Amino acid sequence: MMKTLIWVEHDNTSVKDATLSVITAAAKLGEVTALVAGSDCAAIAEETAKIAGVSKVLKADDAAYANALAENIAPLIADLMGSYDAFLAPATTTGKNISPRVAALLDVMQISDILSVEGPKTFTRPVYAGNAIATVESTDAKLVITVRGTAFDKAEATGGSASVEDVSGPGDAGLASFVGAEIATLERPELTSAKIIVSGGRALRDAETFESVITPLADKLGAGIGASRAAVDAGYVPNDYQVGQTGKIVAPEVYIAIGISGAIQHLAGMKDSKTIIAINKDEEAPIFQVADIGLVSDLFTAVPELCEKL
Amino acid sequence: MKALVCVKRVLDYNVTPRVKPDGSGVDLTNVKMSMNPFDEIAVEEAVRLKEKGVVTEIIAVSIGPDKAQETLRTALAMGVDRAILVQTDDTVEPLAVAKIVKGVADAEQPGLLITGKQAIDDDSNQTGQMLAALMNRPQGTFANELTVEGEHVVVKREIDGGLETVKLALPAIITTDLRLNEPRYASLPNIMKAKKKPLEIKTPADFGVDTQPRIKTLKVSEPPTRAAGVKVADVDELVAKLKALGVA
């Protein structure tokens, strides 16, 4: 039975959802120990101990581990890995920042962004922006893996009763310091956890039109708002709205693509959505090749009408 | 201060990759190859830092086949001063790339090492972080903005919920995100000038690095396709479908 160590992503308020998918992936390999690193993170450790499938929680409470600086956290994980066979982290920006640093410290080639566990050392992962899926096998003594959250079910947040053990590490490496963050405060669901997403493309013309067309529909549905890279590049919305290979990978219950043609780049970020709905006036738009429900219509009349009739 | 940039020759981002029928990989015969777009951003950032007087010399390194010389010439035409090709026809994984680049950095002693956040072929997103670990230096990944302030570099990073700012002691490793800058096109005179700039050829063995892959690719396949669904005639029908889904 393999022993796995997973890194718990949190903001000191709650455990991030992506962690729950990592636990599901890790449980396919073996026993799951969860590392909660942070400053004053006892509440997060308690929350983690309740997650189904976690057999032990390691708590590394140190000011150096606040803000998840890779320079400080990676050596802590590398030290702990003496007792584990596999390390797994979410393929979020923070997970992707830390995990390869751990891999290099262990002299292991990381397997990035896994979509499935095929065997004890065999996984599938997307390459070429999801245009191809590679089945890969590690030959390293230990595994270092990042997990695509949308590819695995989330472990139940309750039901577990793991013990919490304190651990300590090398602390502050003295290389980097955290200055601050500008976190977009959204009144609506965050894209990666939204059940419904309304997304707009270049056809929305400008920032004002994007707001006046997309927002009322999203409000009505309690949906998150996304955008194509074209809409972001054109400045209609800030970059954290971007859905796609170079933006966020989402898989909501319902994804409504409005005025989005469906470039490969965009499809790579949303094609795992359960139901895709497309509204576009161009009947030939590639988005219709992946949409479950398509409406060929001018969005400027269709969307307000839809809003009114819902 | 010197800057070292890493560039990779990859399938051009406008070309749709085709999976080989035998499942051994993606077909790269007779297709357009270009510099990895994130690496172009790395080159551009280094050139801008030199234009600002922050950086004095820019060295580009690429690890790959003989043809990667073209990629390095592009970097030279954009404003890089000299180039190093670590020539190999083998697939070199990020860990081995990081070890080779560390070898180059040990010799060149750059203050900034700038790489793309990921290559658009294997989408690993590892090399910069691994390089930082091997050199025991700080990392500013997914950079949106960077400012050199004395012995430090302040990096604004793109993170899931927005932006984060970190202050790193130099030398530091930076990986670029899309919005860091918009790379320039090389002008014809600069393309001509680039042909005369120094380009040194090395091998992985010169750096004592074993490039034997650690990961075996068992097969490469097409992603599962999603079948097209139905088209509805009007908004009323769409509303009915949405209601059936329990959305409204």
Side-chain angles (χ1 to χ4, degrees), chain A:
Chain A
M1 177 94 158
M2 218 185 266
K3 290 180 76 183
T4 73
L5 179 69
I6 68 122
W7 176 71
V8 175
E9 182 164 357
H10 67 90
D11 56 6
N12 254 26
T13 309
S14 62
V15 173
K16 295 276 181 186
D17 263 9
T19 310
L20 302 175
S21 305
V22 175
I23 290 166
T24 303
K28 289 176 191 281
L29 293 171
E31 195 182 73
V32 182
T33 297
L35 169 66
V36 174
S39 181
D40 288 327
C41 55
I44 297 294
E46 289 306 323
E47 187 185 340
T48 306
K50 294 193 184 87
I51 300 171
V54 174
S55 58
K56 187 158 74 171
V57 176
L58 303 180
K59 174 165 71 82
D61 204 328
D62 187 321
Y65 303 137
N67 305 306
L69 288 172
E71 293 82 353
N72 297 349
I73 297 220
L76 164 71
I77 296 168
D79 282 357
L80 293 170
M81 279 302 288
S83 318
Y84 297 90
D85 306 302
F87 171 73
L88 297 93
T92 55
T93 46
T94 315
K96 288 191 280 198
N97 188 41
I98 293 171
S99 193
R101 194 161 178 126
V102 173
L105 292 175
L106 298 171
D107 195 32
V108 165
M109 238 319 279
Q110 172 179 297
I111 301 183
S112 299
D113 216 11
I114 64 162
L115 301 173
S116 69
V117 176
E118 301 291 318
K121 295 215 154 193
T122 311
F123 308 89
T124 61
R125 59 175 303 265
V127 292
Y128 289 92
N131 282 294
I133 307 296
T135 305
V136 297
E137 184 186 31
S138 170
T139 62
D140 279 313
K142 288 182 193 284
L143 293 168
V144 174
I145 290 168
T146 60
V147 177
R148 179 171 292 198
T150 55
F152 293 87
D153 292 335
K154 293 179 177 59
E156 292 294 332
T158 54
S161 57
S163 59
V164 179
E165 189 183 304
D166 282 309
V167 292
S168 60
D172 192 344
L175 297 171
S177 55
F178 176 81
V179 178
E182 302 158 37
I183 302 296
T185 44
L186 298 171
E187 288 162 15
R188 52 185 76 257
E190 199 192 334
L191 278 180
T192 45
S193 56
K195 291 206 163 45
I196 305 173
I197 292 174
V198 179
S199 223
R202 200 207 303 266
L204 271 307
R205 262 194 237 131
D206 52 43
E208 211 166 89
T209 317
F210 190 102
E211 163 79 23
S212 67
V213 174
I214 300 295
T215 308
L217 180 61
D219 285 346
K220 198 117 196 182
L221 297 171
I225 295 184
S228 69
R229 181 168 162 196
V232 171
D233 283 350
Y236 302 174
V237 287
N239 61 48
D240 48 317
Y241 280 56
Q242 189 193 325
V243 171
Q245 182 64 26
T246 53
K248 293 197 169 74
I249 310 284
V250 300
E253 296 285 317
V254 179
Y255 188 89
I256 308 180
I258 296 171
I260 290 177
S261 63
I264 288 169
Q265 208 284 128
H266 186 75
L267 299 183
M270 46 64 86
K271 66 185 159 76
D272 294 327
S273 305
K274 203 159 170 206
T275 302
I276 297 173
I277 297 168
I279 301 174
N280 200 303
K281 69 176 175 191
D282 176 12
E283 199 175 342
E284 303 297 319
I287 190 78
F288 287 120
Q289 289 165 20
V290 299
D292 300 283
I293 304 168
L295 174 62
V296 180
S297 174
D298 180 14
L299 71 93
F300 296 108
T301 54
V303 177
E305 186 186 343
L306 177 62
C307 233
E308 191 183 309
K309 289 181 172 166
L310 279 171

Side-chain angles (χ1 to χ4, degrees), chain A residues 97 135 139 180 182 271 292, chain B residues 139 141 163 165 214 218 226:
Chain A
N97 188 41
T135 305
T139 62
E182 302 158 37
K271 66 185 159 76
D292 300 283
Chain B
Q139 62 191 48
T141 53
L163 293 165
T165 305
R214 308 284 190 87
L218 305 180
R226 206 184 158 106

